[in-house]
Amino acid sequence: MNTPLPSSGAPDASFSVLGLAPVVPVVVVEDVADAVPLARALVAGGLPAIEVTLRTPAARDAIRAIAAEVPGAVVGAGTVLTPEQVTDAVTAGARFLVSPGCTDALLAAMRASGVPFLPGVSTASEVMALLERGVREMKFFPARAAGGTAYLKSLAGPLPQARFCPTGGIGPDTAPEYLALPNVGCVGGSWMLPEDAVAARDWERVERLAREAAALR
C-alpha cells in the first residue's frame, strides 16, 4: 500500500519516499518552462514523487515552480552533494532529498532539514554505517553497476532492516525484478522521460509512460 500523500506546506519528515509510488522519476530539467507541464504529466500518470536533480542551472527554479503549481506532486531534489544544496533545495520547496553518496556533513544537514532523505550507498559497510546512525531508508546507487538485484538479495539476509530505492541503469524491463525484492520500496529511473519526448514537449507520451511505470507493482 502506498503512503498517503503528504500535504503541502512546511517541511514534513513523517512520510516515507519509498511508499509514495513504485517508481520515482529522476528528472533533469534544462528549461524551467518545462518543469510544470512535465510534473503534471507524471502526476497524472500516477507518479507523484518527482526527483529533480541539481545538475542544471534550472533545477532550483524548477523545484520552486513544481512546488507552487502542481498540487499533486511531491517534489524532491536529487544529486544533493553539499549542506548548502540541502538548504537551497528545501528553501525552493523540495520535500525530500536524495544523494548519490553520503558524508558526515551532508548527513547532518539532511537530518536538520526537516524533510525525508535517501542517502546513497553501494556497499554493505556504507549501509551498516547509516544503520548505526538510525537511517533505515537509502538509495542504492549505481544499482546495476553495483551488483543489481543479486547484491540487494545478499544484503537482505544480514541487514533486513535496511530498505532501498535502487537507481542507476534501471528500465521498465528490469524494474519489476527490483520491486519484487523485500528490501526494495521503490526504484528510481528516467525511462518515462525520453529525451525526444521532452524536447518535443510531448507530455501525453510522458503521461502514458508514467502510467505504465506506476502499474509495475
Side-chain angles (χ1 to χ4, degrees), residues 54 60 77 79-94 96-99 105-117:
L54 301 181
R60 186 167 60 174
T79 321
V80 177
L81 306 177
T82 67
E84 292 76 18
Q85 287 182 323
V86 169
T87 300
D88 288 347
V90 174
T91 300
F96 65 90
L97 304 167
V98 184
S99 64
L106 182 59
L107 179 60
M110 291 193 294
R111 276 192 186 280
S113 70
V115 301
F117 56 90

Side-chain angles (χ1 to χ4, degrees), residues 151-162:
Y151 195 87
L152 285 168
K153 286 178 184 177
S154 298
L155 290 178
L159 303 170
Q161 64 272 54

Side-chain angles (χ1 to χ4, degrees), residues 133-195:
R133 291 163 172 80
V135 178
R136 299 197 186 297
E137 298 188 348
M138 311 167 199
K139 171 180 178 174
F140 180 61
F141 176 83
R144 183 172 63 182
T149 55
Y151 195 87
L152 285 168
K153 286 178 184 177
S154 298
L155 290 178
L159 303 170
Q161 64 272 54
R163 297 183 71 235
F164 303 97
C165 173
T167 305
I170 298 175
D173 52 339
T174 57
E177 300 172 18
Y178 286 93
L179 292 169
L181 298 177
N183 56 350
V184 169
C186 64
V187 301
S190 57
W191 71 85
M192 71 295 301
L193 297 160
E195 288 185 10

Side-chain angles (χ1 to χ4, degrees), residues 8-98:
S8 59
D12 175 12
S14 66
F15 69 95
S16 168
V17 179
L18 301 187
L20 295 177
V23 180
V24 175
V26 179
V27 180
V28 179
V29 178
E30 301 287 353
D31 185 345
V32 70
D34 292 336
V36 168
L38 183 154
R40 285 175 175 159
L42 292 172
V43 171
L47 300 180
I50 300 170
E51 176 189 336
V52 177
T53 65
L54 301 181
R55 302 179 194 174
T56 69
R60 186 167 60 174
D61 286 339
I63 291 171
R64 183 177 290 108
I66 294 169
E69 301 181 42
V70 189
V74 182
V75 63
T79 321
V80 177
L81 306 177
T82 67
E84 292 76 18
Q85 287 182 323
V86 169
T87 300
D88 288 347
V90 174
T91 300
R95 297 165 68 188
F96 65 90
L97 304 167
V98 184

